[in-house]
Amino acid sequence: AIVVSLLLLSALLVVLELTNVVIWGAVALACVLLLFVAFLFILNELMLKSIAVVPPPSSWKVDESQSSLFRFIPKLKGRVAWKKLGNFPTPLDTAKIQCSDGKKRAVMFKREDLSHELYGGNKVRTLEFQLACAAAKASEYTQDGNGVKSKLLTVGGSGSNQTV
């Protein structure tokens, strides 16, 4: 698609006899941008293939009843790797706040900060699946006997403590 677009753009410029240096510079910039976008698309596809959901190895003894995902979608049991990392369910706290109309109203807070002693927050819930899938993939390699050591890097957004 990118090559066809470039050929059509070049043919259009030749037909219109637009040989101005500024226009060709813009065309070159557009080509570079198209190639960059194609590169990002390919990189994204490779990344998505590398983080595919995998089933847990048969050697794992995991109590999947502790995950709310498996309680609500039982068909996923045994199909998605999962390991317990957090202390769930986290409690709900209630506080009374004074509203602008003078009335006090109850507000409930889900205490995700209590999901783990060291690194509380909702990231623990996602890491239960992500780290389990990574460990399952790593165990596939070591079971083959090729001795590959796996490394895992997690990255969060700016200001996040996802990388710990």
Side-chain angles (χ1 to χ4, degrees):
I2 294 173
V3 173
V4 172
S5 299
L6 293 175
L7 289 174
L8 289 174
L9 185 58
S10 298
L12 177 64
L13 290 174
V14 168
V15 170
L16 296 176
E17 298 180 17
L18 298 174
T19 58
N20 191 331
V21 174
V22 173
I23 291 175
W24 283 109
V27 170
L29 180 62
C31 292
V32 169
L33 288 174
L34 281 172
L35 290 173
F36 182 68
V37 168
F39 170 75
L40 289 178
F41 179 77
I42 292 168
L43 190 64
N44 186 51
E45 290 297 313
L46 291 172
M47 181 192 68
L48 289 175
K49 286 180 185 176
S50 74
I51 59 172
V53 174
V54 296
S58 57
S59 61
W60 286 10
K61 304 298 179 217
V62 176
D63 182 10
E64 293 173 330
S65 67
Q66 295 184 11
S67 169
S68 58
L69 179 68
F70 298 128
R71 284 195 303 273
F72 289 103
I73 310 174
K75 288 183 179 182
L76 293 179
K77 285 184 182 179
R79 299 176 74 187
V80 178
W82 175 81
K83 284 204 173 194
K84 180 177 171 59
L85 297 177
N87 304 315
F88 298 111
T90 54
L92 282 172
D93 284 350
T94 305
K96 297 273 186 182
I97 61 168
Q98 184 80 30
C99 295
S100 59
D101 62 2
K103 296 180 181 178
K104 286 191 173 185
R105 293 200 170 83
V107 177
M108 298 182 83
F109 298 93
K110 182 75 169 154
R111 295 295 308 271
E112 290 294 289
D113 59 314
L114 301 175
S115 63
H116 194 275
E117 297 81 22
L118 296 175
Y119 305 108
N122 63 348
K123 75 185 141 302
V124 176
R125 291 182 189 274
T126 60
L127 287 174
E128 286 184 327
F129 293 95
Q130 293 168 347
L131 295 178
C133 283
K137 284 185 179 185
S139 70
E140 288 175 16
Y141 291 119
T142 55
Q143 287 175 2
D144 291 342
N146 64 10
V148 174
K149 290 189 176 184
S150 300
K151 295 181 180 180
L152 177 70
L153 171 67
T154 67
V155 179
S158 176
S160 170
N161 60 354
Q162 176 81 23
T163 305
V164 290

